[in-house]
Amino acid sequence: MEIQEYNISENNFEQCIKCTVCTVYCPVVPVNPEYPGPKQAGPDGERLRLKKGIFFDETLKYCLNCKRCEVACPSGVRIGDIIQAARIKYGRKKPKLRDMMLAGTDFMGSIATKVAPVVNTTLRIKPVKQIMDGVLKIDHRRTFPKYASQTFESWFRKEAAARQEKFDRHIAYFHGCYANYNYPQLGKDLVKVMNALGYGVRLLDGEKCCGVALISNGMIDQATRNAKTNVRIMSEALSSCEAVLGTSSSCSFTLRDEYPHLLGVDNSAVRDHVELAVKFIYRLLESGKASLKFKKDFKARIAYHVPCHMEKLGWGIFSAELVKMIPGVEFTVLDSNCCGIAGTYGFKKENYEVSQAIGKPLFDQIKVIDPDYVACDCETCKWQIEMSTGYKVMNPVSILAAALED
Amino acid sequence: MKFDTIIIGGGLSGLVCGLRLQRAGRKCAIVSAGQSAMHFSSGYFDFLDRTPDGKDVSAPLDAVDLLDKEHPYSKIGKARLTAYAEEVKEFFKGCGIMLEGDPCRNGFRITPTGNFKRTWLALDDFSVFETDTCPWNKVLIVNIEGFLDFNTAFIAQSLESKGTVCTTSILRLEEMERIRKNPSEMRAVNIARVLERREVEDKAVGLMKDMAGDADAILLPAVFGLKEAGARTRIEKALGKKVSFVATMPPSVAGIRTQMKLKAGFEAAGGVFLQGDTACGAEMDGSHVTGIGSVNFGDIRLEADSYVLATGSFFSKGLTAAPGHIVENVFGLDTDAPSERKKWYCTDFFGRQDYISYGVKTDSSFRCIKGGGTIDNLYAAGSILGGCNALYEGCGAGTAIFSAFSVADTILSENA
């Protein structure tokens, strides 16, 4: 028995029984034959790579890191982790300027918000898009998310921080780059909902980007530094806050699972208290410790898209239950499909076609259902769906905020 | 989170049980860790192909009397089994799965090595044969170029040894060239995705027209219809010849389609399917289950009046074999495995392997037993049940479906 235990690797690739189920659920395989598929790229390739690193194959970069292979695996093999860990360990390609710009959501955001109107206008001008396409290889067909002129953090400090301290109970909010630089309204909505539930919101002391884009663009050192800082500040916050809540499924997933699995950063002291706001709110409402009062005349036909990392977290049900709870909502859950954007992946010129092909079944279904808007917990899914279908996408937390009685 | 019934396991048995309960108005959740054995389906359901002492079975219902009292079929009883068998086609039709064959009699199927074996009902697009000999004199066996999970030579050799004239041929489709670039992904499901485009299917049919010659029938790998069945009928119509699909190596296109339809039916009826989550942390109050946890739910509990254990056997991690004992993983239930390891297996690889028959002990209503006592609201269904050897007896699907029916009916009658 002991010998067996010592022979099981951290990412348990030897548990793979070659059943091929993962390949059925990989969104890349049907549209990009250059990608070797999760079984070959993951556990099969790992056997070879353990012999010699030269067996590493650069085509592993086509993996979206959506983790759908892991959700499907009957043997519990961490296939997606094996692939990403191999890219980290053996990848020889250095990140390009383009990759650094796309992945540096924190850095780029802090500059762009200062001159937001200029940046937003410039990024929509055709010649600029052509130059970005030609020089940087950022696809010209992509619509860029807009930057806000005031960050969420600065709004919060000016407008909200003081009154949060009137509450007896608190949560810390990991807002992420998107709510901070692009869409502060999401953060404002979270504050509104948590306040309605009797909770004050606090910011973390020096939040860093979760690092999801840094990891996928090979900027591991910076990702690891961010991870260590975030674990430390989350741990400090938990001494006075009940939980660290997020509104982005990929941020929360990264904080909980990618830190220990891919970056080797131990988060065991905080992990159980780091979750998405929807899960926390669901627990609170279910236990009867708090309740929300909704508008009587709220009406919306909503189709919910479960982001890949939300599927992996297994928490889509909490968002679904919360939105369904609002009187006047007509609710559909969309089929389990990847939207194709996968963070920065779909912005890259070489991935544009694949990205849109992956998302097509989802886009088609949304158009057939024709909802008032789509609900979704992930900002990059939001950009992709809004750009590709024309339908508006709202975070479940924002939907709750919009439906709250004034 | 509260439900009427929580089912652990999202394979054939769990889905059938959930669907039956949900259709009757019970609010159900299925917790499913990873995809199920339906992904390895042969395209057929077996009821009972042979008795535990090795006698071939033609009419499964007549053979029920010969089974041990611990066999799941004995617990259901012949009368109820007969009613269930008669109901089964209608049940699956309810979610768009058309089963072919006589529910009271066994037929035969062609195996991927060209032999005829007993079976019961065929999933859409597969056919049940009346006897164990090939009904045709001349057969054309066609493969897709570059597809390694289907061996035409094996099939031809077996059929020819019994007097059928066989020719083999290969379909060359330029639309397949893209996926051929990646030989490790040149699998049944990916081929099915290409063939799902009607113009590609039509092209394939056109090519087959040219190669069919005077063959009476065409055998094809089961690589059609990942979302919807019906390709066989279309091809037969276009060619004016009989067509039979033969199972490929996994993943199984027909099995996945069937699983997706069952899941869609369950969700359409209002059921909650928790994909990729693992049940754990069961809590008991005496002989009563009060709740379970799940890896993804953390401290949020899943609670219900009744629970169904449909986790499957060793492959699906319902059971784990340790050196000296076999354990059930969620509740630590009593299993029927003897402690003497030597009794678990037979050194003749092709002999009857008894470990496959091991599972949890239950009372006559499939209530589970722990520490010698019956748990009043926990039932078992499918291959986690002890008392039958699905591989040797050919009774896997029948056990999965009928024990699920039985458990659902018990739960419904108790809450009527």
Side-chain angles (χ1 to χ4, degrees):
Chain A
M1 275 308 274
E2 277 181 17
I3 293 171
Q4 204 176 351
E5 276 164 25
Y6 286 123
N7 274 295
I8 291 175
S9 66
E10 267 177 46
N11 54 31
N12 68 353
F13 82 92
E14 55 282 87
Q15 302 289 305
C16 171
I17 59 160
K18 314 294 161 207
C19 75
T20 69
V21 164
C22 54
T23 68
V24 179
Y25 295 91
C26 175
V28 183
V29 164
V31 293
N32 185 3
E34 304 292 325
Y35 179 56
K39 177 171 158 282
Q40 178 62 36
D44 286 8
E46 189 71 0
R47 272 169 213 281
L48 299 172
R49 292 188 291 263
L50 284 176
K51 288 266 179 207
K52 255 197 175 103
I54 55 161
F55 289 110
F56 175 74
D57 183 348
E58 286 293 345
T59 57
L60 264 58
K61 71 178 178 198
Y62 295 122
C63 168
L64 300 173
N65 197 25
C66 68
K67 312 278 188 193
R68 282 180 183 268
C69 47
E70 294 187 11
V71 175
C73 178
S75 306
V77 179
R78 300 213 313 255
I79 307 159
D81 286 354
I82 295 173
I83 296 169
Q84 293 308 314
R87 290 186 59 203
I88 292 171
K89 191 169 172 192
Y90 304 104
R92 289 175 292 273
K93 290 239 167 80
K94 290 267 177 299
K96 298 182 218 157
L97 173 65
R98 184 248 347 236
D99 302 341
M100 287 194 243
M101 285 171 69
L102 288 174
T105 47
D106 214 347
F107 178 71
M108 298 299 285
S110 60
I111 298 171
T113 44
K114 295 200 174 72
V115 284
V118 181
V119 175
N120 291 338
T121 317
T122 315
L123 286 176
R124 273 164 178 70
I125 300 171
K126 223 175 170 188
V128 175
K129 290 187 130 190
Q130 298 298 352
I131 292 168
M132 287 183 22
D133 188 297
V135 179
L136 291 169
K137 309 282 179 230
I138 295 173
D139 200 278
H140 66 277
R141 287 160 289 189
R142 268 291 149 214
T143 312
F144 264 80
K146 281 188 183 163
Y147 284 102
S149 1
Q150 186 188 31
T151 63
F152 169 72
E153 284 199 4
S154 96
W155 170 84
F156 183 85
R157 291 208 173 89
K158 271 189 213 141
E159 310 283 339
R163 64 186 152 89
Q164 300 307 309
E165 295 313 309
K166 290 181 193 142
F167 291 91
D168 298 331
R169 316 178 79 172
H170 292 90
I171 59 96
Y173 178 34
F174 188 97
H175 49 66
C177 301
Y178 170 69
N180 199 31
Y181 302 115
N182 300 106
Y183 194 63
Q185 188 56 43
L186 176 55
K188 296 175 191 174
D189 291 338
L190 179 88
V191 174
K192 182 177 174 188
V193 175
M194 291 316 297
N195 287 175
L197 289 161
Y199 276 80
V201 175
R202 286 180 182 151
L203 298 184
L204 293 163
D205 183 14
E207 174 186 322
K208 297 280 178 203
C209 166
C210 70
V212 64
L214 297 170
I215 295 170
S216 58
N217 284 285
M219 297 157 75
I220 300 307
D221 292 343
Q222 198 189 329
T224 309
R225 279 198 301 275
N226 285 13
K228 285 180 179 159
T229 307
N230 284 334
V231 170
R232 179 175 53 76
I233 58 172
M234 289 194 292
S235 163
E236 285 162 10
L238 285 168
S239 63
S240 64
C241 297
E242 287 181 22
V244 178
L245 303 184
T247 45
S248 156
S249 45
S250 287
C251 290
S252 294
F253 172 69
T254 305
L255 298 174
R256 285 171 57 91
D257 293 339
E258 303 282 70
Y259 282 6
H261 292 166
L262 296 183
L263 301 176
V265 173
D266 179 13
N267 64 355
S268 53
V270 298
R271 186 175 182 274
D272 286 349
H273 300 284
V274 177
E275 60 187 9
L276 275 168
V278 285
K279 189 180 176 208
F280 187 88
I281 298 168
Y282 176 85
R283 184 193 293 109
L284 210 55
L285 296 178
E286 195 204 27
S287 67
K289 286 180 192 151
S291 62
L292 289 174
K293 283 206 179 82
F294 295 109
K295 285 176 187 152
K296 295 205 169 52
D297 56 347
F298 190 83
K299 283 242 170 317
R301 288 180 63 244
I302 300 172
Y304 177 47
H305 164 64
V306 188
C308 297
H309 287 162
M310 196 69 167
E311 295 259 6
K312 172 66 181 152
L313 287 165
W315 295 348
I317 178 131
F318 301 123
S319 290
E321 291 294 313
L322 289 182
V323 176
K324 270 199 289 192
M325 188 182 288
I326 303 169
V329 165
E330 205 182 305
F331 187 79
T332 331
V333 178
L334 295 161
D335 293 344
S336 177
N337 279 307
C338 175
C339 75
I341 187 89
T344 59
Y345 183 96
F347 279 88
K348 299 175 183 173
K349 189 175 168 64
E350 68 271 24
N351 296 335
Y352 182 85
E353 310 280 349
V354 166
S355 174
Q356 296 311 104
I358 290 172
K360 191 170 182 299
L362 173 67
F363 310 149
D364 290 348
Q365 198 194 5
I366 293 173
K367 286 172 193 164
V368 168
I369 291 175
D370 187 28
D372 294 336
Y373 48 87
V374 175
C376 174
D377 317 81
C378 167
E379 54 273 13
T380 60
C381 295
K382 172 184 157 86
W383 303 334
Q384 170 79 335
I385 295 168
E386 289 185 341
M387 185 196 92
S388 311
T389 67
Y391 285 88
K392 189 179 174 190
V393 180
M394 301 250 293
N395 189 294
V397 171
S398 295
I399 298 174
L400 286 180
L404 281 184
E405 204 177 59
D406 295 319
Chain B
M1 202 172 277
K2 287 191 178 58
F3 298 92
D4 294 329
T5 302
I6 291 168
I7 298 154
I8 306 167
L12 181 60
S13 201
L15 278 166
V16 166
C17 188
L19 195 54
R20 197 173 178 88
L21 288 168
Q22 196 70 46
R23 279 180 185 165
R26 298 226 3 133
K27 193 177 176 227
C28 298
I30 294 178
V31 186
S32 174
Q35 291 291 353
S36 77
M38 287 298 284
H39 289 60
F40 317 105
S41 167
S42 63
Y44 293 84
F45 287 157
D46 287 11
F47 184 165
L48 184 66
D49 297 339
R50 60 177 163 181
T51 60
D53 55 0
K55 288 194 195 77
D56 287 335
V57 172
S58 301
L61 290 162
D62 295 342
V64 172
D65 297 333
L66 306 172
L67 301 171
D68 183 85
K69 70 176 176 35
E70 283 305 314
H71 197 289
Y73 292 161
S74 304
K75 291 181 180 176
I76 298 168
K78 191 171 171 176
R80 267 206 301 155
L81 265 184
T82 309
Y84 286 165
E86 282 164 0
E87 188 195 332
V88 78
K89 281 182 155 181
E90 203 57 36
F91 180 88
F92 280 87
K93 197 177 163 188
C95 26
I97 302 159
M98 311 302 278
L99 299 176
E100 188 191 302
D102 180 345
C104 297
R105 287 200 67 78
N106 279 337
F108 293 86
R109 66 183 166 99
I110 307 184
T111 70
T113 50
N115 293 300
F116 280 76
K117 280 204 163 175
R118 276 194 162 65
T119 191
W120 178 44
L121 298 174
L123 301 182
D124 314 63
D125 279 355
F126 285 85
S127 8
V128 177
F129 297 86
E130 278 177 26
T131 65
D132 63 353
T133 46
C134 182
W136 305 299
N137 296 322
K138 284 190 92 168
V139 169
L140 171 69
I141 310 162
V142 181
N143 195 11
I144 312 282
E145 189 179 33
F147 183 42
L148 301 176
D149 292 344
F150 183 73
N151 196 314
T152 52
F154 278 169
I155 301 170
Q157 202 180 7
S158 300
L159 293 180
E160 275 171 347
S161 73
K162 287 179 189 153
T164 306
V165 179
C166 296
T167 35
T168 60
S169 189
I170 281 174
L171 273 180
R172 264 184 206 109
L173 294 161
E174 58 178 322
E175 289 81 358
M176 291 292 165
E177 288 307 306
R178 265 187 98 232
I179 58 169
R180 278 198 74 190
K181 280 191 201 163
N182 182 353
S184 68
E185 290 301 305
M186 184 73 186
R187 307 229 174 237
V189 165
N190 287 323
I191 294 171
R193 287 194 177 111
V194 177
L195 285 167
E196 217 148 38
R197 284 155 44 201
R198 193 55 68 82
E199 73 272 17
V200 184
E201 185 187 298
D202 290 346
K203 208 167 164 183
V205 170
L207 290 170
M208 282 190 271
K209 227 176 218 165
D210 298 337
M211 49 178 84
D214 60 346
D216 307 316
I218 298 175
L219 299 188
L220 284 168
V223 292
F224 295 84
L226 184 58
K227 290 206 183 90
E228 291 299 332
R232 188 190 84 194
T233 325
R234 285 195 300 272
I235 302 171
E236 282 185 336
K237 226 175 173 180
L239 300 182
K241 290 180 191 295
K242 280 283 171 196
V243 170
S244 197
F245 287 174
V246 179
T248 65
M249 291 286 278
S252 159
V253 171
I256 293 169
R257 180 184 65 229
T258 305
Q259 151 111 9
M260 290 197 293
K261 284 192 180 278
L262 285 170
K263 180 172 174 264
F266 173 70
E267 289 179 323
V272 169
F273 197 95
L274 300 170
Q275 181 74 63
D277 204 353
T278 306
C280 59
E283 269 169 23
M284 309 266 303
D285 178 10
S287 62
H288 192 79
V289 179
T290 54
I292 61 162
S294 86
V295 169
N296 290 339
F297 272 44
D299 62 327
I300 296 177
R301 307 289 296 168
L302 286 157
E303 289 167 4
D305 303 332
S306 49
Y307 300 80
V308 180
L309 187 71
T311 45
S313 177
F314 299 99
F315 168 76
S316 303
K317 294 199 169 16
L319 296 177
T320 299
H325 55 283
I326 287 174
V327 285
E328 184 281 310
N329 287 320
V330 184
F331 296 91
L333 301 172
D334 295 357
T335 66
D336 60 0
S339 55
E340 200 185 332
R341 190 183 171 94
K342 268 194 183 150
K343 289 186 178 161
W344 295 0
Y345 56 87
C346 165
T347 48
D348 171 10
F349 185 78
F350 295 101
R352 184 172 69 197
Q353 299 294 343
D354 281 348
Y355 72 87
I356 289 172
S357 76
Y358 300 152
V360 296
K361 290 184 186 171
T362 60
D363 73 1
S364 59
S365 308
F366 298 116
R367 278 186 190 84
C368 299
I369 293 168
K370 184 173 176 169
T374 309
I375 301 176
D376 62 23
N377 63 341
L378 174 63
Y379 304 83
S383 61
I384 187 71
L385 288 168
C388 63
N389 190 318
L391 190 62
Y392 185 83
E393 297 162 23
C395 65
T399 304
I401 296 166
F402 296 142
S403 62
F405 277 7
S406 174
V407 165
D409 289 351
T410 307
I411 292 172
L412 291 172
S413 70
E414 289 191 343
N415 293 280

